[in-house]
Amino acid sequence: MELTRAMESTVLHWGEMGSRWGVNRSIAQIHALLYLSTKPITADEITETLGIARSNVSTSLRELQSWNLVTLTHVMGDRRDHFEAKTDLWEVLLIIVDQRKKREIDPTVSTLRKCVLDAGGDGTPEDVKSRLNDMLQFGETLTTWYEQVSRLPTTTLVKLMHMGAKISRFVKG
Amino acid sequence: MELTRAMESTVLHWGEMGSRWGVNRSIAQIHALLYLSTKPITADEITETLGIARSNVSTSLRELQSWNLVTLTHVMGDRRDHFEAKTDLWEVLLIIVDQRKKREIDPTVSTLRKCVLDAGGDGTPEDVKSRLNDMLQFGETLTTWYEQVSRLPTTTLVKLMHMGAKISRFVKG
DNA sequence: CTGTGTTTTCTGTTTATACTGAAACTACAG
DNA sequence: CTGTAGTTTCAGTATAAACAGAAAACACAG
């Protein structure tokens, strides 16, 4: 698979972005490549195109599949696995946020909950306790909000987005 | 400075969180410690409490100041710098999102813009071009929305949040 | 100008993670 | 069964980032 200049920069930049957000470069690059590719491609093609080890591609694809961002498909008359990425970017965004929430935010909130409990009997000063409480409260507000909003249909979300700041009209007071 | 059990877990967990989101552990730990502390503390106190090198604390504090999350203050009769963290968590969230947008999202969108231009004349196939365009479009929609909404007063944001999914009432169609 | 407390800079080391390549495994065709 | 194409696992290696400690720079009192 031959990459044009534009495709190459996109893939490289996406890899760079990934690493700044705690996603490893290979995974991000592969994801970008699959997103750009308009037909399913094999692991070997990815290996060649990106110049990374076959085993690394395998592991990364596995990870991408576990995120539901990439699916395995088959092509008639070809034994090899082919891979393709979700193309609806709204769906992609929601998947990523959902997963990171589940893997990182939710555990953080429960850790905080435990800390607030512990703080009751371990001699934590009152003012620190109130800071801890604020954090927990804040986390809970955000997650509750997200859980509701993320369940709205995409079309609604798009419309809400396009309203931008106008949405504030509907707030009382 | 003595940490209670609850404080210690919070600081450690925060550090862990940081590293999963591309913020180094020391910086995140120091931030947590300053957030919990109800009075400004010195770099040396941080060094002792967290058991990391003095130089590391210095660099991290500098970084935190550049993010506007921590400010330097002075205490009467003490030559040493003291540090304290922003305590309004809404403000903290907006600062973090703002900064990461500025440092990472905005450059990504302009890279995409450049790629879309390049793709015009470098032989990129039509269908790939349209994928690139979708990405750019999506990024622009999100950033435009964020720029508007983040400028609303915190009180309005809080109210919007508490409305949760009810906000969808106001969408036409 | 000198001495002391404080902060920053810099270089080498450590550590964590990504990555490779070979070997093991699997599924299937013949 | 056997051979082959394909995939995964695993142990070792490389790389990049975090970190420590020493040295330098700075600020100011006396």
Side-chain angles (χ1 to χ4, degrees), chain A residues 88-91 94 149-161, chain B residues 138:
Chain A
D88 178 341
L89 292 171
W90 270 99
E91 215 180 328
L94 285 178
V149 171
S150 66
R151 271 165 190 65
L152 294 173
T154 301
T155 51
T156 308
L157 287 177
V158 174
K159 283 177 197 156
L160 280 169
M161 278 238 151
Chain B
F138 188 69

Side-chain angles (χ1 to χ4, degrees), chain A residues 24-27 51-53 55-56 79:
Chain A
N24 93 42
R25 207 177 59 234
S26 309
I27 294 184
I52 59 185
S55 55
N56 192 5
R79 248 168 84 186

Side-chain angles (χ1 to χ4, degrees), chain A residues 145 149 152 155-173, chain B residues 144-172:
Chain A
W145 171 79
V149 171
L152 294 173
T155 51
T156 308
L157 287 177
V158 174
K159 283 177 197 156
L160 280 169
M161 278 238 151
H162 282 118
M163 290 177 73
K166 288 182 201 148
I167 197 71
S168 64
R169 278 185 208 155
F170 306 112
V171 173
K172 291 166 211 159
Chain B
T144 310
W145 171 79
Y146 175 76
E147 269 154 29
Q148 290 192 32
V149 171
S150 66
R151 269 163 192 67
L152 294 173
T154 301
T155 51
T156 307
L157 288 177
V158 174
K159 282 176 197 156
L160 280 168
M161 266 224 166
H162 282 119
M163 289 176 73
K166 287 181 203 151
I167 198 71
S168 64
R169 277 185 209 157
F170 305 113
V171 174
K172 291 165 211 160

Side-chain angles (χ1 to χ4, degrees), chain B residues 23-27 51-53 55-56 79:
Chain B
V23 174
N24 95 41
R25 207 177 59 233
S26 308
I27 293 184
I52 59 185
S55 55
N56 193 4
R79 251 167 80 185

Side-chain angles (χ1 to χ4, degrees), chain A residues 1-13 33 36-37 49-50, chain B residues 114-132:
Chain A
M1 189 178 188
E2 273 304 305
L3 296 187
T4 61
R5 238 141 130 41
M7 291 168 80
E8 189 177 307
S9 332
T10 305
V11 168
L12 292 176
H13 185 85
L33 181 63
L36 288 181
S37 169
T49 311
L50 299 181
Chain B
K114 198 138 49 66
C115 287
V116 167
L117 276 180
D118 285 358
D122 72 352
T124 302
E126 283 307 316
D127 43 12
V128 174
K129 273 201 232 171
S130 102
R131 287 277 159 87
L132 274 175

Side-chain angles (χ1 to χ4, degrees), chain B residues 46-160:
Chain B
I46 297 173
T47 302
E48 264 185 68
T49 312
L50 300 182
I52 59 185
R54 183 51 234 272
S55 55
N56 193 4
V57 171
S58 175
T59 314
S60 302
L61 283 171
R62 178 172 267 260
E63 182 82 6
L64 283 167
Q65 283 171 275
S66 87
W67 283 66
N68 288 321
L69 289 173
V70 163
T71 52
L72 190 154
T73 59
H74 282 103
V75 169
M76 256 311 180
D78 193 335
R79 251 167 80 185
R80 295 170 302 174
D81 291 343
H82 290 240
F83 299 89
E84 61 185 342
K86 282 241 154 56
T87 52
D88 178 341
L89 292 172
W90 270 99
E91 214 180 330
V92 171
L93 179 66
L94 285 177
I95 286 177
I96 293 174
V97 178
D98 269 341
Q99 299 262 13
R100 294 206 81 148
K101 174 177 175 297
K102 198 173 71 191
R103 298 175 192 207
E104 288 142 19
I105 310 289
D106 291 350
T108 297
V109 172
S110 37
T111 299
L112 280 174
R113 208 170 280 129
K114 198 138 49 66
C115 287
V116 167
L117 276 180
D118 285 358
D122 72 352
T124 302
E126 283 307 316
D127 43 12
V128 174
K129 273 201 232 171
S130 102
R131 287 277 159 87
L132 274 175
N133 242 310
D134 290 350
M135 269 177 109
L136 176 57
Q137 207 65 40
F138 188 69
E140 279 175 341
T141 303
L142 285 183
T143 52
T144 310
W145 171 79
Y146 175 76
E147 269 154 29
Q148 290 192 32
V149 171
S150 66
R151 269 163 192 67
L152 294 173
T154 301
T155 51
T156 307
L157 288 177
V158 174
K159 282 176 197 156
L160 280 168

